Amino acid sequence: MFKPLAKLLKALSSNRDPGAIACAFALGMLLGFMPKDNVLWYILFIFMFFLRIQRGALVLAMLLGSLLAPALDPYFDRIGYYILDYPSLRSTFIRLLDIPFVSFTKFNNTIVMGSLAVGIAACIPFYLVARLFIFVWRHYIGNLMRKFKFLQMIKQVPLVEKITDFIEEA
């Protein structure tokens, strides 16, 4: 549980590529928005492991997206219905359903289609926000947090000390 978060915190403070962290955050939000009961989600999830991204950020963004998704489901439903009911695409979607195993992706579900479309459309804004956060973290927040005496005192608590030792080893 702590290992992905520890690696993310280490990557935020280190000299690692901020693009890999930001890309992982954007793709994690895409996966977090989508329902997890279809083959399309699993295909995208497995595909993410072939990319050079920071997996701790991917896991954290998936959790954040999964927490936000229920509140956004009505909007996903409307957008998915609009896409699936679009007249020039309707015949294409009908033909896709005739292909074996394509129906297991549940692309014809309005929430799946809407969350996929919103996730793809929001990838670039999520990427830019994550890049901005990484810049602010590395130049301002990280240095500021190291100076707080309160945080230095908390680091000396035995459990927190073990966690910080674990982070430094990772």
Side-chain angles (χ1 to χ4, degrees):
M1 174 67 186
F2 289 117
K3 197 166 189 171
L5 184 61
K7 286 185 178 184
L8 175 63
L9 288 174
K10 187 175 181 180
L12 279 175
S13 300
S14 71
N15 198 14
R16 297 225 177 140
D17 180 27
I21 300 169
C23 185
F25 180 77
L27 294 175
M29 289 299 285
L30 167 69
L31 285 175
F33 283 165
M34 291 182 62
K36 280 83 176 152
D37 64 344
N38 59 63
V39 174
L40 182 61
W41 188 88
Y42 290 104
I43 291 169
L44 291 173
F45 182 73
I46 291 170
F47 176 71
M48 299 301 165
F49 286 101
F50 293 109
L51 301 175
R52 293 187 63 159
I53 56 175
Q54 214 285 326
R55 288 182 181 69
L58 179 75
V59 169
L60 186 67
M62 279 176 42
L63 290 173
L64 181 64
S66 295
L67 290 174
L68 291 174
L72 298 172
D73 275 350
Y75 302 108
F76 295 155
D77 186 42
R78 286 188 204 129
I79 292 168
Y81 182 78
Y82 177 77
I83 292 170
L84 290 171
D85 198 42
Y86 198 74
S88 61
L89 293 175
R90 193 176 307 149
S91 62
T92 304
F93 292 139
I94 291 171
R95 278 192 230 120
L96 281 174
L97 283 174
D98 291 337
I99 299 172
F101 300 109
V102 172
S103 62
F104 293 129
T105 63
K106 293 187 182 178
F107 75 91
N108 59 337
N109 183 328
T110 56
I111 294 177
V112 172
M113 181 60 77
S115 63
L116 179 65
V118 169
I120 290 171
C123 271
I124 292 175
F126 283 141
Y127 177 84
L128 294 174
V129 167
R131 285 290 293 240
L132 179 67
F133 175 76
I134 294 166
F135 176 79
V136 170
W137 178 273
R138 288 183 178 175
H139 290 92
Y140 302 107
I141 298 173
N143 294 331
L144 187 65
M145 288 181 72
R146 287 186 197 103
K147 294 178 184 177
F148 283 132
K149 292 188 184 216
F150 176 73
L151 292 175
Q152 291 173 357
M153 288 173 28
I154 288 178
K155 276 180 138 179
Q156 294 176 357
V157 173
L159 177 65
V160 176
E161 188 176 6
K162 287 181 182 179
I163 293 171
T164 55
D165 289 341
F166 179 73
I167 290 172
E168 291 171 3
E169 290 175 10

